Amino acid sequence: MSKGLRPGLYAITDSVLTPPETLIESVEAALRGGAVMVQYREKHAPMAVRLAQANDLQAVCRNAGVPLLINDDPDLAKRVGAAGVHMGQTDGSLAAARALLGEEAIIGITCHADLALARAGLEAGADYLAFGRFYTSSTKPGAPAAAPSVLTEAKSFGRPLTAIGGVTAENAEPLIRAGADMLAVVGGLFGGTADEIELRAKAFERLFASHHPLFSIPE
């Protein structure tokens, strides 16, 4: 895995589970628990709010030595100096995002359960491929279902693989065993107190330590 990507928990924020008043505290807790990457996902707030929140998160993630990605907004990623962006299938051109952010940026692409989409993302230069939803998801209820076998098949692409969709510490092990390098988690991580979030993150860390061959806890 390259560009600072490493196996582990990929924490994704949510306007309901990580509202403005607890956003930073929640992400800090996830980082203390071992999250290896953070994605800022906020689709409805005014730009001024999104810019302020993204700037705050970038400072937190920089201090932790963990990449911050912005969901679907290369311009915002550029403005705050984020490590990169995650692009959905209907959120613009990956090539345009690459041109804006540069070769060193981390760019991920949503592939649902479709290896053809993954192949297209690979050809466009995606740094990681995201598959899912694997389980019932409150944040992506309309997303097509995926089977863990798609992760195993996608290993041949030679890019880090992310699994998303209803993932919890209780149901994550089969996804890691099938080939997931990162687990993108919203509801299975956030919500509740900072101590609870940190404990959930540590549970994911233990799963990776037990089941992913490249996982190591930084000293």
Side-chain angles (χ1 to χ4, degrees):
M1 298 177 74
S2 61
K3 291 190 178 180
L5 291 169
R6 53 193 178 91
L9 172 63
Y10 182 1
I12 300 183
T13 70
D14 174 79
S15 58
V16 174
L17 294 174
T18 55
E21 60 270 21
T22 63
L23 174 62
I24 300 303
E25 179 185 20
S26 295
V27 170
E28 287 176 335
L31 291 168
R32 286 195 303 273
V36 300
M37 193 152 69
V38 174
Q39 182 186 131
Y40 173 59
R41 184 177 185 270
E42 172 54 75
K43 295 179 177 290
H44 305 297
M47 174 49 72
V49 173
R50 297 176 66 232
L51 179 60
Q53 291 179 343
N55 266 317
D56 289 344
L57 286 175
Q58 172 62 359
V60 167
C61 290
R62 185 191 297 114
N63 288 340
V66 168
L68 172 70
L69 271 62
I70 306 296
N71 179 264
D72 297 345
D73 194 336
D75 291 321
L76 181 57
K78 179 78 169 179
R79 290 179 71 180
V80 302
V85 67
H86 181 87
M87 303 293 288
Q89 286 295 322
T90 60
D91 298 310
S93 162
L94 192 153
R98 177 67 70 196
L100 177 67
L101 299 175
E103 288 302 317
E104 295 305 310
I106 299 169
I107 301 182
I109 187 75
T110 294
C111 304
H112 300 302
D114 192 332
L115 292 174
L117 292 178
R119 190 172 295 108
L122 183 71
E123 292 171 355
D127 296 300
Y128 71 85
L129 307 171
F131 292 91
R133 63 175 172 83
F134 288 95
Y135 305 109
T136 301
S137 169
S138 60
T139 55
K140 290 185 174 290
S149 58
V150 73
L151 296 165
T152 305
E153 294 177 71
K155 293 299 285 185
S156 63
F157 291 131
R159 288 288 190 279
L161 306 178
T162 297
I164 190 170
V167 180
T168 68
E170 289 70 37
N171 62 26
E173 181 181 331
L175 302 178
I176 301 173
R177 288 184 178 278
D181 298 298
M182 294 181 287
L183 296 174
V185 185
V186 185
L189 174 64
F190 291 119
T193 67
D195 286 345
E196 289 169 335
I197 293 167
E198 183 176 349
L199 286 173
R200 292 178 201 135
K202 287 180 176 177
F204 283 104
E205 186 177 65
R206 288 193 296 272
L207 282 172
F208 275 96
S210 297
H211 302 296
H212 195 286
L214 300 180
F215 182 81
S216 62
I217 299 175
E219 296 182 359

